[in-house]
Amino acid sequence: MQRALDLLERIATHPEGARLSELADGAGLNRSTAHNLLASLEGLGYITQDKKGAAYRLTGKLNRLLRLDAEAEHALRARIRPVLKNVSQASGESTFLALATGTDYLCVDAVQSDQPLHLAVRPGERKPLIGEALGHALLAADPDLAHLVRADDPDRWERHAQEIADAERHGFALDLDSQQAGISCVAVVVTPAPRSPLPGPPAASRNHASSRSARRSARHWTKCDRPTRNGCDPGPLECGKPTRV
């Protein structure tokens, strides 16, 4: 186990991947032993190769085991909770706080709307990053995370590549009636270096996103003449002025 973990740590220091020869030499192993250990790690899903003989890279599986420690997560929720409440009260809609964990996002706090029709995301709920505004906002803000997620599921990435690119270009991500008819959603990333300040105290990490559902269309959130899945033309965000920060 110690030798396998050593190889795993060595691969982690090479974002573009490391070949069998350099891993074996660096760990002081013969290549047959190193190959067998790497094959076991690959079979368990912790590393991958683009093709036989290519460099070994980490998958997102290790990240799925990780999340903020309890104290840090509590501090994050305390800082962002007033923002969620303010935006929810101003809009009458649900707001959520989520963080990236591997190839998923994890909802860690939510203020639910009292409207009969609303998008309900519960704390503790986990969903794939690809396919929803929350995940697209996180992917657009973190190139390393995007690289891991794209490698994990290239086909699904390609189906949503334009939406992720739009999120990176606009600084926010939209779901327009894609999750539930009549409900749309906007997601913004909370980062330590704001472009424009979000109302209330900032979060301490870039890998968190807040999301808010909107009734009818994205018009309630953005000054858009024609809101579409490719963004809007033109206008800044309104209703609490959420931005990618």
Side-chain angles (χ1 to χ4, degrees), residues 156-169:
R156 192 172 189 193
W157 176 279
E158 289 304 316
R159 292 198 297 272
H160 295 276
Q162 186 59 55
E163 296 162 78
I164 297 168
D166 289 341
E168 183 175 5
R169 183 169 64 256

Side-chain angles (χ1 to χ4, degrees), residues 47-87:
I47 60 175
T48 187
Q49 291 177 292
D50 292 332
K51 60 181 180 180
K52 187 175 181 179
Y56 291 92
R57 293 181 290 101
L58 292 181
T59 67
K61 187 170 183 178
L62 277 176
N63 288 336
R64 296 183 196 128
L65 306 179
L66 304 176
R67 58 180 291 178
L68 289 178
D69 62 68
E71 184 176 348
E73 188 174 309
H74 176 76
L76 174 69
R77 290 200 308 269
R79 298 180 73 181
I80 300 300
R81 181 79 177 177
V83 181
L84 299 181
K85 286 184 175 180
N86 288 344
V87 176

